[in-house]
């Protein structure tokens, strides 16, 4: 079922194997740099001294730096 959701575009297929430190992800409409790829969540920079954490399901888009 999950595979069908990913193929139809109703769900994303991002996980620890596809998202790495240094990548950029769009979460809640904002692009953020990945600080850490955890087993169930991704930690992203905030522009302050702390990081935010979000589940992989909240990633709207993903970019790998060239």
């Amino acid at each position: 079922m999950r595979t069908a959701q990913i193929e139809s575009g109703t769900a994303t297929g991002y996980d620890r194997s596809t998202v790495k430190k240094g990548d950029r992800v769009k979460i809640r409409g904002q692009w953020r740099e990945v600080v850490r790829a955890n087993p169930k969540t991704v930690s992203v920079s905030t522009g302050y001294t702390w990081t935010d954490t979000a589940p992989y399901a909240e990633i709207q888009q993903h970019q790998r730096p060239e």
Side-chain angles (χ1 to χ4, degrees):
M1 182 171 184
R2 180 76 176 159
T3 305
Q5 290 175 330
I6 292 168
E7 289 174 359
S8 70
T10 57
T12 61
Y14 302 117
D15 62 19
R16 191 177 193 174
S17 67
T18 57
V19 177
K20 305 289 184 199
K21 180 180 179 178
D23 291 356
R24 292 183 47 80
V25 292
K26 188 175 183 182
I27 298 175
R28 298 178 205 120
Q30 294 184 348
W31 285 99
R32 304 281 182 91
E33 183 178 344
V34 175
V35 177
R36 187 177 316 108
N38 305 305
K40 295 181 181 182
T41 61
V42 61
S43 297
V44 294
S45 62
T46 62
Y48 299 101
T49 58
W50 62 86
T51 59
D52 281 343
T53 304
Y56 287 102
E58 288 190 17
I59 298 175
Q60 299 166 318
Q61 289 181 322
H62 171 247
Q63 292 179 341
R64 177 132 315 143
E66 295 179 20

